[in-house]
Amino acid sequence: MYLNQLEYFAATIEAGSFLAASKKVYVTAPAIERAVHLLENELGVELFEPAGRSYRPTLLGKKLYEPVVEAISYINRIYDIAHEHSADSLEDAEFNLVMASFPFRCGWLAPALFDQFTQEYPNIDLKILSSSNGACLEAMRSGMFDAAVVIGPIYEGDLRSRRLFSFPLRVAISKSHNFASKAYGHLSLRTIAQYPIARPIDIGTCYKVVARAFDEAQVLPNFVDVRAGDEPRFLQDGGIIFVADHSSIRQIAPDSVIKDIAPRERIVLPVCYVERPNETSALSERLAAYLATFGERMRKLQSRGLGIDPIK
């Protein structure tokens, strides 16, 4: 039994469906459904039952909801206590981290994200370099850095990656765009494909995931290469850019509006922590846990409709 299984079960009860829960925890509905089914198999009971085209909790599922919420709270408390202990037990050390940072798409992946960490661990000399996704991986392969934060999982024998959290892609359009009005809520991929779309070449994983989403929707997108710095003009000319919602986007392109993608077509990207399996340390684990906690904070902000701005 894993913590995420309990969290997904509770989120599904609260939201009313796997699809609605996916918007709360920023994991795809099929992944939530699989995790819940694994939990059912382990317990040997049914927690949900078919209800038309959806599912509803069984009587036992409803009965287990409150104990599960309490269990999640206790487990999180265990992590908090361990965190407090590790803050006292970590010795003076230097840690080199390379981080993928793309101001227009993921402005929250920035050195300022670690301000609280450095305050909690003043004896740790955390050195951070921001670079492209590919450059981060090259730096890890060369042995120059202790860990990396990148977009997308890594499958290499000498490197190990683990998902810290996921975030949904949204789209940025100009305030003068046809769909900027509040009358237009979620945009479908078919609607988006009617306009030029900035090819997300800055994050290779992003392009693959976006392209696959259009393919599954049986829509042919009009990808256009846009140079860094040309994004505001591209938006003014009617273009569309896939982004992560963050205040830095509006600083770069103040004449922009952020729109959600239709729920059934939402695109989710994972943020992963990369390290060498034979070089893990207590400090590395603490840093990864800190980032995972940030991911939970981001999820809660999104579920409350507050957007993503962890720097504040």
Side-chain angles (χ1 to χ4, degrees):
M1 185 181 303
Y2 294 95
L3 177 59
N4 69 323
Q5 293 174 332
L6 300 178
E7 290 175 333
Y8 297 166
F9 164 75
T12 304
I13 293 284
E14 294 164 358
S17 69
F18 295 125
L19 180 60
S22 71
K23 289 183 272 186
K24 290 174 64 67
V25 300
Y26 291 100
V27 177
T28 63
I32 293 177
E33 187 172 354
R34 284 194 300 271
V36 170
H37 286 329
L38 287 173
L39 181 60
E40 290 178 321
N41 292 338
E42 184 171 348
L43 295 176
V45 298
E46 288 189 355
L47 302 174
F48 294 90
E49 59 187 4
R53 299 179 61 183
S54 185
Y55 288 88
R56 65 187 175 198
T58 61
L59 290 177
L60 179 61
K62 294 178 181 178
K63 186 176 181 180
L64 287 177
Y65 169 71
E66 288 190 8
V68 165
V69 172
E70 290 180 8
I72 293 172
S73 177
Y74 281 123
I75 292 172
N76 286 332
R77 178 54 184 156
I78 291 172
Y79 281 119
D80 289 341
I81 294 173
H83 177 192
E84 293 167 3
H85 173 76
S86 62
D88 297 330
S89 61
L90 288 179
E91 299 178 353
D92 294 353
E94 178 180 303
F95 196 88
N96 296 299
L97 178 74
V98 60
M99 178 172 59
S101 183
F102 311 94
F104 203 83
R105 297 195 198 280
C106 306
W108 36 266
L109 278 181
L113 170 61
F114 297 91
D115 286 351
Q116 184 177 344
F117 183 87
T118 55
Q119 291 173 9
E120 293 180 8
Y121 303 96
N123 56 322
I124 303 302
D125 184 11
L126 181 62
K127 300 182 183 300
I128 303 172
L129 174 67
S130 298
S131 192
S132 68
N133 224 48
C136 289
L137 296 177
E138 285 299 324
M140 284 298 295
R141 295 187 189 104
S142 69
M144 296 169 56
F145 288 83
D146 299 303
V149 178
V150 299
I151 308 297
I154 306 302
Y155 303 101
E156 294 188 17
D158 58 338
L159 295 177
R160 181 186 69 176
S161 70
R162 46 177 152 161
R163 188 185 71 83
L164 296 169
F165 55 88
S166 298
F167 66 92
L169 283 180
R170 306 176 77 188
V171 292
I173 58 178
S174 170
K175 291 180 180 178
S176 60
H177 197 281
N178 294 339
F179 298 117
S181 168
K182 290 184 178 180
Y184 294 95
H186 301 119
L187 300 182
S188 69
L189 293 181
R190 187 171 297 278
T191 298
I192 294 171
Q194 299 175 25
Y195 296 86
I197 304 168
R199 189 190 311 275
I201 56 175
D202 53 357
I203 308 177
T205 299
C206 180
Y207 175 66
K208 293 176 184 177
V209 173
V210 171
R212 185 168 64 246
F214 277 106
D215 185 57
E216 291 174 352
Q218 299 183 339
V219 176
L220 184 63
N222 178 21
F223 284 124
V224 177
D225 291 327
V226 179
R227 294 184 303 178
D230 289 346
E231 294 94 347
R233 180 172 295 278
F234 179 73
L235 291 176
Q236 291 172 6
D237 292 339
I240 294 178
I241 300 178
F242 283 97
V243 299
D245 187 18
H246 184 266
S247 60
S248 65
I249 293 173
R250 295 182 179 86
Q251 293 173 8
I252 297 172
D255 185 36
S256 66
V257 174
I258 308 299
K259 290 284 186 177
D260 287 316
I261 300 171
R264 291 187 178 277
E265 298 178 321
R266 47 194 306 275
I267 303 171
V268 178
L269 289 179
V271 175
C272 296
Y273 188 78
V274 182
E275 58 191 339
R276 283 174 286 277
N278 59 340
E279 297 181 15
T280 58
S281 64
L283 173 54
S284 184
E285 289 295 326
R286 181 81 289 273
L287 188 60
Y290 171 84
L291 290 168
T293 300
F294 156 71
E296 176 64 15
R297 175 188 170 194
M298 183 180 73
R299 182 187 68 77
K300 289 179 179 178
L301 287 173
Q302 281 284 19
S303 66
R304 291 159 55 194
L306 300 179
I308 304 173
D309 194 355
I311 306 305
K312 292 182 180 179

